[in-house]
Amino acid sequence: MFKGKIFEFDSELGYGYIVPELSKVRIRFYADDYIGEEPPALNQQVVFSVDEDRNGNHKAVNVEPPREFDLFLIVAVTFSLILLLTVTLFGYSIWIGTYYSTLNLLLVLVCYLDKRALEKGDNVTSAPSHLFLAFCGGWVAQTVCGHIWKMPKRGQIYRTFMLVAVACHGWLLSWALTPYGEIMIKHWQLIWLHNSLIIS
């Protein structure tokens, strides 16, 4: 990946030029190769890769603004590690670990399908659906997959609701680690097992 600055962009023609940091040679990029929420702007810092076009000339591809520090990503990884350690080392309820693992694997699949749909120009899963799954516990996979696959960022309202979902799950995990929370979880497990035995 190279760093550079957008030197020129013509939205009507659908292409522009980037000047790399370590060079004065302009490299052409096309609007289709730009990844970002906002249209390209003059003097905007970008990162990009270099490829060849049909005529053998160099062109910039995967042009995007530099990734910002993502606090959600650090929180998601920390939450996952704490959950994994509490299940494996401290004998915390395997049911909760299984619940989060299953739901987040489902979200990885949803994010992967959304990534493929974006590449094809098809419809993706709606923001309310993603938020519902985030509140159910799938926010970890959404955050990690969104960062790895460079999914387009959502608006401020979406990010606010995601913050609420993260806070709720953080509080729930903290509560579940208390003695009272542990007793309540074991109580709910017994009720669930009892009901399962009655049904079968």
Side-chain angles (χ1 to χ4, degrees):
M1 294 291 275
F2 299 97
K3 293 181 180 179
K5 189 184 291 188
I6 294 179
F7 176 74
E8 181 182 337
F9 181 72
D10 189 329
S11 57
E12 292 178 12
L13 297 176
Y15 70 88
Y17 294 95
I18 297 172
V19 176
E21 276 185 345
L22 304 175
S23 172
K24 297 296 178 197
V25 177
R26 299 183 315 167
I27 299 175
R28 181 182 284 196
F29 76 98
Y30 294 93
D32 293 341
D33 292 320
Y34 181 80
I35 306 166
E37 294 176 19
E38 304 292 327
L42 291 180
N43 296 322
Q44 178 185 6
Q45 294 289 329
V46 292
V47 292
F48 61 96
S49 301
V50 176
D51 200 1
E52 289 187 359
D53 61 15
R54 287 180 254 151
N55 302 326
N57 298 322
H58 291 295
K59 71 171 186 168
V61 295
N62 299 323
V63 180
E64 63 181 329
R67 285 278 173 171
E68 298 171 2
F69 173 75
D70 194 353
L71 182 61
F72 281 123
L73 183 64
I74 292 173
V75 171
V77 171
T78 304
F79 181 89
S80 300
L81 289 174
I82 290 171
L83 189 61
L84 180 67
L85 287 174
T86 54
V87 169
T88 56
L89 297 181
F90 303 113
Y92 188 62
S93 174
I94 193 74
W95 297 67
I96 294 192
T98 304
Y99 169 78
Y100 273 104
S101 299
T102 305
L103 188 63
N104 281 282
L105 284 174
L106 172 69
L107 259 296
V108 168
L109 177 64
V110 169
C111 291
Y112 175 73
L113 293 174
D114 280 352
K115 175 185 171 276
R116 290 193 53 198
L118 278 173
E119 289 169 355
K120 294 178 181 177
D122 292 340
N123 293 330
V124 296
T125 308
S126 67
S129 299
H130 271 285
L131 284 174
F132 172 75
L133 293 169
F135 271 97
C136 290
W139 63 273
V140 174
Q142 285 179 344
T143 303
V144 173
C145 290
H147 186 78
I148 291 172
W149 289 327
K150 299 178 182 175
M151 304 290 278
K153 290 190 176 181
R154 309 262 183 170
Q156 188 60 40
I157 293 173
Y158 178 88
R159 291 181 65 81
T160 302
F161 276 108
M162 277 292 283
L163 181 62
V164 171
V166 169
C168 288
H169 284 275
W171 176 83
L172 193 61
L173 180 63
S174 300
W175 171 81
L177 293 175
T178 65
Y180 180 73
E182 190 175 347
I183 291 168
M184 289 304 297
I185 288 171
K186 287 181 180 176
H187 178 71
W188 292 332
Q189 285 176 347
L190 288 174
I191 291 172
W192 186 84
L193 282 172
H194 177 71
N195 291 339
S196 299
L197 291 173
I198 290 173
I199 292 171
S200 53

